[in-house]
C-alpha cells in the first residue's frame, strides 16, 4: 500500500544524530509504560537500539497482540506490519508507523482488484470452494480480509509450510500471494514438484495460463517478488564457496528456488539469526538477506566470518525510511499528547482480516 508521508517539521531535519538519540531516550522515559516500540530485524542499528521488542514478522505480530498495557505501539517496520498490529490490538491501543512511506514493494505487487479478478476468473473454471487462498503477511489488510472471507489463512516465512499443509487439508489447490518464491519454496519443501505449480500474472488473461494448466495445478502462485531477495543468485553462492571453503550458506525463503536449493539452510529472519548466533566460533556464514541484519550479526559475533552474499549493499529501501528523526518526531508528538502517523484499519476490513491472522496464529 502506497501511503503519503507529510514532510518532517524543519526542526527535526538537521538534528545531529547524538541529539536525536538522546531525545528519543528522554521521550521514552516520559512516556514510560504507555509506550512500546517494536523493531523488525531489518531496521538500522540506530533504531533497533530503542526497540523494546525485536523480531521477525511473525513474532512482532504476536508481540503486538500481547501488550495490553501499552497505549501506544510504535512499529519500526513497514506498513503491512503496522496494519497487522492494529488489527490484532483493541481499538483503545494506537499503532504508529514513524514514516508512512515505509511500505513493501512486494506487498504492492498484489492489490484487491487484481486478486478479486483472479478469483472471478477461477470461478469461471472450477469450484473455488476447493481453492484455499493463502496470503503472505507481506500484503495489504484488504487482501488479508479477502482471505479471511474465503476461509483461508495468512502465513509468514516462519509458518508457511504449516499454513500450506493446513490449506491443502481443506481444499485441493492453494492460491498463494503475493510472493511466488515463498510459495514455490514452500511447495517444494512439502514434497511437491515445480511442475505442480503455475504462476498467475495479474496483467494477463487467465494469469497467462491455459484453463487446463490452471485445472491441473496444485499451486497457483502470484507473480510477485521481493526486490531485495531477488538480487541473490547461484553464482554468488558458488563464489562464496570457492573463496571460503567450508562456508555455510543460509538464505531467506523469499529467494528463488535455485538459490534456496544451492544454499545449506533457509528460513525467516529469526531463523537466520538463531543458526548463525548458535554456530561455533571460527565458522563462516554467507547470508542471503537484508544488509542491516547481516551487518549487525557480523558485529555481534566477531569470532565468526559473517558476510552478505551480495557484494553490493542490499538494504530494504522502504525499511530504511524509518530514520531516527521520524521516530523522534512521532515520540515527541506523543509526549505533547498528539498522535501522528496512526495506522488504523477500517472495521469492515479488520473484521475479516483478523479471521485470517487469527488462523495464522493458531497454526503455530
Ligand atoms: P521475516 O518474517 O522473516 O522477518 O521476513 C519479513 C520480510 O519482509 C522479509 O523480507
Ligand atoms: Fe518487502 Fe522485501 Fe523489504 Fe521484506 S525486504 S519488507 S519483502 S521489500
Amino acid at each position: 500500500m502506497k501511503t503519503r508521508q507529510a514532510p518532517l517539521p524543519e526542526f527535526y531535519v538537521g538534528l545531529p544524530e547524538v541529539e536525536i538519540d538522546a531525545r528519543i531516550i528522554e521521550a521514552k522515559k516520559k512516556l514510560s509504560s504507555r509506550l512500546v516500540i517494536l523493531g523488525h530485524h531489518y531496521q538500522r542499528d540506530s533504531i533497533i537500539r530503542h526497540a523494546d521488542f525485536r523480531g521477525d514478522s511473525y513474532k512482532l505480530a504476536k508481540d503486538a497482540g500481547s501488550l495490553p498495557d501499552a497505549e501506544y505501539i510504535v512499529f519500526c517496520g513497514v506498513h503491512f506490519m503496522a496494519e497487522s498490529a492494529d488489527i490484532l490490538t483493541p481499538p483503545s491501543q494506537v499503532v504508529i508507523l514513524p514514516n508512512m512511506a515505509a511500505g513493501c514493494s512486494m506487498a504492492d505487487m498484489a492489490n484487491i482488484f487484481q486478486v478479486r479478478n483472479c478469483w472471478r476468473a477461477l470461478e469461471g473454471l472450477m469450484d473455488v470452494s476447493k481453492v484455499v487462498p493463502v496470503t503472505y503477511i507481506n500484503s495489504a489488510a484488504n487482501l488479508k480480509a479477502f482471505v479471511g472471507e474465503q476461509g483461508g489463512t495468512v502465513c509468514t516465512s516462519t509458518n508457511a509450510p504449516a499454513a500450506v499443509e493446513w490449506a491443502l487439508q481443506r481444499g485441493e489447490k492453494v492460491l498463494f500471494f503475493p510472493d511466488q518464491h515463498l510459495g514455490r519454496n514452500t511447495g517444494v519443501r512439502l514434497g511437491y514438484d515445480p511442475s505442480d505449480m503455475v504462476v498467475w500474472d495479474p496483467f494477463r488473461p487467465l494469469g497467462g495460463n491455459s484453463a487446463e494448466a490452471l485445472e491441473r495445478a496444485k499451486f497457483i502462485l502470484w507473480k510477485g517478488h521481493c526486490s531485495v531477495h531477488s538480487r541473490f543468485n547461484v553464482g554468488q553462492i558458488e563464489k562464496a564457496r570457492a573463496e571460503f571453503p567450508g562456508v555455510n550458506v543460509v538464505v531467506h525463503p523469499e529467494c528463488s528456488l535455485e538459490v534456496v536449493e544451492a544454499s545449506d539452510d533457509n528460513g525467516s529472519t529469526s531463523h537466520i539469526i538463531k543458526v548463525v548466533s548458535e554456530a561455533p566460533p571460527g565458522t563462516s556464514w554467507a547470508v542471503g538477506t537484508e544488509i542491516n541484519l547481516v551487518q549487525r550479526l557480523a558485529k555481534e559475533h566477531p569470532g565468526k566470518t559473517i558476510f552478505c552474499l551480495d557484494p553490493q549493499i542490499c538494504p530494504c529501501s522502504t525499511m530504511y525510511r524509518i530514520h531516527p528523526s521520524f521516530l523522534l518526531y512521532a515520540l515527541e508528538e506523543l509526549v505533547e499528547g498528539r498522535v501522528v502517523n496512526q495506522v488504523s484499519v477500517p472495521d469492515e476490513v479488520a473484521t475479516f482480516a483478523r479471521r485470517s491472522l487469527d488462523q495464522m496464529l493458531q497454526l503455530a
Side-chain angles (χ1 to χ4, degrees):
M1 161 153 335
K2 289 192 179 76
T3 320
R4 279 183 178 280
Q5 170 64 47
L8 266 187
E10 191 67 23
F11 171 77
Y12 291 95
V13 177
L15 274 187
E17 217 171 284
V18 279
E19 189 176 341
I20 294 176
D21 204 54
R23 291 177 77 117
I24 290 175
I25 293 169
E26 192 52 34
K28 277 190 78 178
K29 252 192 229 148
K30 288 185 182 148
L31 291 161
S32 181
S33 61
R34 297 169 67 203
L35 166 77
V36 169
I37 300 181
L38 303 180
H40 185 268
H41 292 308
Y42 290 166
Q43 293 290 304
R44 55 180 100 196
D45 286 350
S46 50
I47 290 288
I48 269 301
R49 77 167 70 107
H50 299 295
D52 300 299
F53 297 89
R54 292 188 205 184
D56 60 11
S57 311
Y58 179 73
K59 179 180 178 292
L60 292 176
K62 269 180 66 182
D63 287 344
S66 55
L67 299 165
D69 298 330
E71 210 175 310
Y72 307 119
I73 296 176
V74 174
F75 210 123
C76 296
V78 288
H79 197 267
F80 72 80
M81 297 179 179
E83 277 188 335
S84 299
D86 181 56
I87 293 163
L88 293 169
T89 50
S92 55
Q93 287 182 299
V94 172
V95 176
I96 289 166
L97 183 65
N99 184 343
M100 296 297 255
C104 163
S105 55
M106 174 206 284
D108 290 341
M109 290 179 192
N111 67 43
I112 189 65
F113 305 106
Q114 294 169 326
V115 169
R116 285 216 183 103
N117 279 343
C118 167
W119 198 252
R120 267 194 293 272
L122 295 180
E123 267 172 346
L125 295 176
M126 60 188 79
D127 174 5
V128 284
S129 68
K130 300 199 172 103
V131 181
V132 181
V134 176
T135 185
Y136 191 22
I137 195 164
N138 298 36
S139 56
N142 55 9
L143 295 189
K144 294 183 176 84
F146 172 86
V147 168
E149 258 184 294
Q150 304 302 333
T153 188
V154 175
C155 76
T156 67
S157 56
T158 302
N159 62 11
V164 169
E165 264 183 332
W166 174 89
L168 287 174
Q169 280 158 11
R170 264 146 201 83
E172 290 172 2
K173 280 184 206 298
V174 168
L175 170 63
F176 191 100
F177 48 87
D179 185 18
Q180 61 170 302
H181 300 295
L182 181 64
R184 188 175 296 109
N185 288 325
T186 305
V188 169
R189 183 163 162 180
L190 293 175
Y192 293 92
D193 191 83
S195 61
D196 298 322
M197 308 170 192
V198 292
V199 173
W200 183 277
D201 179 345
F203 298 102
R204 296 177 63 193
L206 290 188
N209 302 287
S210 65
E212 299 70 44
L214 285 164
E215 273 159 29
R216 248 193 342 263
K218 200 80 183 153
F219 292 80
I220 302 169
L221 307 174
W222 198 263
K223 194 176 180 200
H225 66 272
C226 163
S227 46
V228 176
H229 292 93
S230 57
R231 291 177 60 94
F232 299 113
N233 58 56
V234 176
Q236 294 162 345
I237 297 180
E238 287 166 352
K239 189 164 176 283
R241 293 202 194 281
E243 287 174 9
F244 297 86
V247 71
N248 301 281
V249 181
V250 59
V251 302
H252 196 279
E254 287 174 13
C255 294
S256 69
L257 177 63
E258 297 71 46
V259 167
V260 165
E261 286 185 332
S263 65
D264 301 304
D265 192 7
N266 71 90
S268 69
T269 52
S270 293
H271 176 81
I272 293 173
I273 291 169
K274 184 171 187 292
V275 293
V276 176
S277 304
E278 290 176 357
T283 49
S284 355
W285 293 86
V287 184
T289 198
E290 205 268 351
I291 194 70
N292 279 294
L293 183 159
V294 183
Q295 285 180 340
R296 188 153 49 242
L297 265 178
K299 239 185 277 168
E300 287 170 356
H301 300 278
K304 301 172 201 177
T305 305
I306 300 167
F307 59 95
C308 183
L309 265 180
D310 186 345
Q312 312 298 321
I313 292 283
C314 62
C316 171
S317 57
T318 46
M319 285 272 181
Y320 209 61
R321 290 182 184 158
I322 308 291
H323 185 275
S325 53
F326 281 94
L327 174 59
L328 175 62
Y329 170 56
L331 296 185
E332 291 196 336
E333 286 296 296
L334 289 180
V335 170
E336 294 304 318
R338 293 185 292 265
V339 171
V340 292
N341 289 1
Q342 180 173 2
V343 172
S344 182
V345 178
D347 282 349
E348 64 277 14
V349 174
T351 305
F352 285 110
R354 193 172 303 114
R355 207 184 265 180
S356 60
L357 278 164
D358 281 344
Q359 180 53 56
M360 172 193 87
L361 293 171
Q362 277 170 36
L363 281 172

